[in-house]
Amino acid sequence: MAQTGTAQQTRPRKTMYLGDPLAEPPPPELLAVLDPLRGRDDALVTVLQRIQGLYGYLPARSVRYAARELGVPLARMFGVATFYNQFRFTPPGRIRLQVCCGTACHVRGAPAILQRLKDTLGIPADQTTPDGMFTLQTVFCVGGCSLAPVVLSNGQAHGRMTAVGAEWLVRDLRAAEEGKP
Amino acid sequence: MTASIRVGTSTCGLAAGAEETVRALQAAAAQLDLPAEIKRTGCLGACHREPLVEISTNGTSVLYGPMGPAHARELLAGHFGLPGAERPSEEWVVSRAADRRDYPYFAPQVKVTTVNCGVIDPLSLDDYLAAGGYEGLRRALALAPEAVIAAVQQSKLRGRGGAGYPTGVKWEICRNQPDPLKYLVCNADEGDPGAFMDRTVIEGDPHRVLEGMVIAAWAIGARRGYVYVRAEYPLAVKHLEAAIAQAREAGYLGTDILGAGLDFDIIVKEGAGAFVCGEETALMHSIEGKRGAPRMRPPYPAESGLWGHPTNINNVETYASVPSIMTGGAAWFAGLGTAQSGGTKTFALTGAVRLTGLVEVPIGMTLREVIFGIGGGIREDGTFKAVQIGGPSGGCLPAALLETPVDYEPLRATGAIMGSGGMVVVDEETCMVDFTRYFLSFTQSESCGKCVPCRIGTRKMLGILTRLTRGEGRPDDLERLERVADTVRTTSLCGLGTTAPNPVLTTLKYFRDEYTAHIHERRCPAGACAALR
């Protein structure tokens, strides 16, 4: 083990069995996110949002780094991260499909659209296709109720959606993605 | 002669393809060599006709929609009467009047908080100033803080987040706290599915919200403000950040605002996707960087809020009403509404109604006037069945209650609530049992789990409702449902729990026959429940 600090010798870290994952200093891009927020008592959610902005999800290692660097107990860090719907712990697909399940969309047929997307992609909600192309999510209201039902692809809203339209959307997005170099 | 062309590019407009329309108009204007300025504005509220294009020349305006990119050139050539071009099709014309009142959807509305939405460029401070912006702040700063509070009290402005607490009274309580450090919070965590009032106001007129907050800061003596915005509203966050930067630059935020000795600044906090954070104590925990779990009240935030300091929390629409009270006068504002509640209320009118969108009406207008007068009734000549008001905390009201005025007390008497402004209309195709199950699935998944009645009770109610929609209902289910609902309502810790049973209780009250049909006849009268077809 690379641990040489005196405090660690008397009381080993609980993570020792992994081979201390934090023995190396944090990567620079992570430090760039953490540094401006040091000592801010209101920054915990913001820290997690920026880490997710950096990697597209919350790698467990980065959360551990953040806890150590900001002096916040790891339990609190994960307590906050798991409380909010926005945070995810697995890498997202390249295209994030979000089916709005708000009231207006529900009344106008969102359940059928969600079902069709599940069938088309062959995955349940909150999962990513094996090829890493699509992540399917549900979201409670994006505020586009007057154009219900709404589906978002990487944040872009498609209004007045139908089940057939959603299938076409997947086809178009896949073609566009495969056409990229 | 320069024409001004405005295209609504709020989230709703963009979803309808407004960005493509803007680009097509720019290309067409350049091709046709028209001296036209093309502006991106917020949402006029007539979302059913999006994308909307308004062309103004020499004081006359014509509003067209829906205008897809394919007709951009045809529209411009026709509107400006270029040689060989035909006049634009009458089918495209929404309105020919500058105040748009010739369109029946707009005629009964009274716009106060949304008056600039869809008219000004939300990213332009000059546009806001030209529309009379920050005049309310000037007038407020010329008054003593106590006089501002008195004016807000006289205006009968009440909390637009739904609870309806008198805003002036709230401000006064906060002002009277001895603690010199006071906070101001704007609740823009518009989590109710089916509601987009706050999104529209922030996207379309962000400075109005800031102005309302600065006036409140002056009245209360607050130094620092937060706007807590849903993470699902990226465009609102962007417009708000831009407006704050402009306001700082121009001296409407920062130190010694307009030379009145007021120091106040605002920080935007993005939510992270938790409905319960719309509850004020949960929201404050979230701002402090904690799990957004609510706590017992009292103490109320006005006494002990952010980091233990007195904190005034109002929602977007409440703050957005304040500048108009300062410019128009408290008596005028109070006169718009009813004896108990002044001003106007915006509603997100959606669902099975013919004309969907954002409407702003004087408080006290009846539900019928809103749904049939403005919304044009039910689409495809369907039959009105119910209107759901107030989202998952609200209730479903039947046709017999359509004469109910939209006001806090009359709505509460029916079992629904005013709520933040979601108004979802449903027709005969919607099963009320399944609709209620939908709301409970929402509150169940959004319950934070801190208190037992809400955590377990919402799950129990959802379980029973799911069973009913599958045709597995038991004869004593309704009694059990009522018992659980009553327990959750009376014993939950925060507003999420105490209001979660409202959809259940109101549908049991007004649509009980649908429940009994599911249980005793194994039949779904609306034909919506798949297991019962």
Side-chain angles (χ1 to χ4, degrees):
Chain A
M1 287 289 132
Q3 285 294 343
T4 51
T6 49
Q8 275 84 355
Q9 277 167 355
T10 51
R11 201 165 158 222
R13 299 171 77 107
K14 279 183 181 166
T15 51
M16 281 290 268
Y17 65 95
L18 293 173
D20 184 1
L22 307 187
E24 302 281 321
E29 77 273 11
L30 187 59
L31 270 180
V33 163
L34 296 178
D35 280 338
L37 297 168
R38 276 179 210 277
R40 287 259 311 270
D41 51 0
D42 60 341
L44 202 44
V45 175
T46 314
V47 165
L48 292 167
Q49 283 171 334
R50 301 224 177 131
I51 296 177
Q52 181 150 307
L54 198 58
Y55 300 111
Y57 72 112
L58 293 179
R61 209 174 134 88
S62 306
V63 179
R64 284 165 182 269
Y65 270 127
R68 189 184 73 181
E69 295 293 315
L70 302 178
V72 177
L74 191 55
R76 203 180 141 213
M77 207 80 188
F78 272 104
V80 170
T82 52
F83 183 86
Y84 296 98
N85 297 329
Q86 188 189 12
F87 299 120
R88 33 182 307 128
F89 301 94
T90 49
R94 294 194 291 284
I95 299 169
R96 184 167 66 151
L97 281 180
Q98 292 169 301
V99 181
C100 181
C101 293
T103 315
C105 292
H106 177 83
V107 172
R108 285 206 162 179
I113 293 171
L114 180 62
Q115 190 56 49
R116 181 69 68 100
L117 284 173
K118 284 179 184 173
D119 295 344
T120 307
L121 299 172
I123 49 169
D126 289 321
Q127 299 246 331
T128 302
T129 49
D131 61 359
M133 176 103 62
F134 289 102
T135 297
L136 182 61
Q137 292 178 322
T138 58
V139 54
F140 273 119
C141 202
V142 293
C145 314
S146 45
L147 297 165
V150 176
V151 173
L152 291 101
S153 62
N154 283 343
Q156 197 200 338
H158 307 272
R160 297 183 183 120
M161 191 46 77
T162 59
V164 179
E167 205 177 327
W168 277 101
L169 181 65
V170 166
R171 207 170 301 182
D172 291 349
L173 290 169
R174 180 173 277 143
E177 187 69 18
E178 279 166 355
K180 281 187 191 167
Chain B
M1 170 214 74
T2 306
S4 161
I5 303 179
R6 297 189 290 273
V7 187
T9 52
S10 275
T11 298
C12 44
L14 293 176
E19 191 55 42
E20 287 77 18
T21 301
V22 170
R23 276 193 237 119
L25 285 170
Q26 282 167 338
Q31 253 182 13
L32 300 170
D33 200 21
L34 288 169
E37 179 201 15
I38 297 174
K39 254 188 196 177
R40 290 179 171 82
T41 66
C43 177
L44 273 174
C47 307
H48 51 280
R49 297 290 290 258
E50 302 245 42
L52 285 163
V53 176
E54 190 164 40
I55 307 181
S56 304
T57 20
N58 303 333
T60 66
S61 284
V62 187
L63 180 66
Y64 298 98
M67 288 312 311
H71 299 295
R73 195 190 154 98
E74 196 182 339
L75 173 74
L76 290 187
H79 179 89
F80 291 102
L82 298 188
E86 279 182 43
R87 281 169 58 82
S89 160
E90 274 305 310
E91 282 181 13
W92 297 347
V93 177
V94 180
S95 156
R96 289 190 182 282
D99 63 0
R100 304 173 203 91
R101 288 196 180 275
D102 54 338
Y103 187 48
Y105 178 83
F106 289 122
Q109 297 195 43
V110 175
K111 296 202 172 205
V112 175
T113 59
T114 59
V115 67
N116 289 339
C117 292
V119 178
I120 65 166
D121 176 354
L123 295 175
S124 161
L125 175 60
D126 290 341
D127 265 27
Y128 183 62
L129 293 174
Y134 288 109
E135 178 57 29
L137 176 61
R138 266 175 224 289
R139 295 199 187 181
L141 292 178
L143 298 172
E146 291 81 5
V148 175
I149 292 180
V152 174
Q153 287 185 357
Q154 283 157 18
S155 76
K156 295 180 183 164
L157 173 64
R158 298 171 64 179
R160 297 290 191 252
Y165 195 79
T167 304
V169 175
K170 203 184 222 184
W171 289 11
E172 192 171 26
I173 295 170
C174 195
R175 172 165 184 83
N176 289 340
Q177 301 300 313
D179 192 334
L181 179 57
K182 297 185 174 80
Y183 287 101
L184 203 67
V185 174
C186 175
N187 184 349
D189 190 51
E190 185 173 54
D192 277 7
F196 52 91
M197 300 74 53
D198 297 349
R199 173 183 71 66
T200 306
V201 173
I202 295 180
E203 283 181 357
D205 196 7
H207 280 289
R208 172 177 293 272
V209 182
L210 301 184
E211 185 180 353
M213 287 182 74
V214 181
I215 295 171
W218 171 247
I220 291 164
R223 285 295 186 84
R224 198 168 184 189
Y226 286 97
V227 185
Y228 188 89
V229 193
R230 286 182 86 197
E232 290 87 342
Y233 287 174
L235 195 64
V237 172
K238 192 179 138 201
H239 286 191
L240 205 51
E241 299 267 18
I244 288 173
Q246 291 166 351
R248 277 190 196 131
E249 181 100 344
Y252 297 111
L253 283 176
T255 50
D256 193 19
I257 293 169
L258 298 182
L262 170 66
D263 298 346
F264 181 67
D265 207 352
I266 297 175
I267 293 175
V268 176
K269 273 276 177 185
E270 267 188 74
F275 174 64
V276 72
C277 286
E279 199 278 340
E280 58 185 15
T281 60
L283 185 150
M284 292 191 302
H285 285 152
S286 186
I287 290 180
E288 291 174 3
K290 298 176 184 154
R291 288 166 69 94
R295 63 158 170 82
M296 291 284 285
R297 294 181 305 186
Y300 286 91
E303 299 147 12
S304 174
L306 281 173
W307 294 284
H309 297 286
T311 303
N312 179 71
I313 303 187
N314 288 125
N315 98 326
V316 171
E317 207 183 324
T318 313
Y319 284 124
S321 301
V322 172
S324 303
I325 295 173
M326 290 296 133
T327 51
W332 161 78
F333 191 84
L336 290 175
T338 61
Q340 312 86 36
S341 325
T344 56
K345 177 82 195 83
T346 51
F347 288 96
L349 186 59
T350 61
V353 74
R354 235 165 39 81
L355 311 177
T356 58
L358 191 85
V359 304
E360 182 166 1
V361 298
I363 290 182
M365 186 180 260
T366 65
L367 289 171
R368 183 183 299 280
E369 287 174 278
V370 177
I371 296 164
F372 289 86
I374 296 173
I378 306 300
R379 74 195 156 107
E380 289 158 17
D381 294 323
T383 313
F384 174 91
K385 185 189 226 173
V387 55
Q388 210 283 345
I389 307 173
S393 318
C396 296
L397 302 181
L401 290 175
L402 276 173
E403 302 307 329
T404 311
V406 288
D407 192 0
Y408 299 91
E409 281 74 22
L411 281 172
R412 202 169 292 153
T414 65
I417 57 166
M418 178 83 133
S420 59
M423 194 180 273
V424 184
V425 179
V426 298
D427 60 9
E428 292 297 335
E429 288 173 16
T430 298
C431 165
M432 298 313 287
V433 181
D434 180 63
F435 197 39
T436 310
R437 186 198 60 75
Y438 163 79
F439 284 111
L440 262 295
S441 74
F442 177 81
T443 35
Q444 192 276 319
S445 77
E446 292 297 330
S447 169
C448 79
K450 182 171 176 175
C451 74
V452 178
C454 177
R455 182 177 71 231
I456 309 288
T458 51
R459 187 169 281 273
K460 285 287 170 204
M461 287 190 282
L462 176 61
I464 297 170
L465 290 164
T466 307
R467 200 158 70 211
L468 296 181
T469 55
R470 287 188 185 148
E472 296 158 6
R474 301 171 196 159
D476 61 346
D477 265 348
L478 296 192
E479 201 188 310
R480 185 179 294 123
L481 199 53
E482 268 166 344
R483 211 169 50 233
V484 178
D486 198 50
T487 307
V488 176
R489 185 174 61 82
T490 48
T491 59
S492 292
L493 172 64
C494 82
L496 193 157
T498 55
T499 59
N502 282 350
V504 176
L505 292 168
T506 51
T507 48
L508 275 172
K509 190 168 165 190
Y510 301 119
F511 300 94
R512 203 177 185 91
D513 51 334
E514 289 203 29
Y515 281 90
T516 51
H518 279 73
I519 296 175
H520 298 294
E521 300 165 37
R522 306 275 175 222
R523 184 174 68 85
C524 173
C529 296
L532 296 174
R533 269 182 206 143

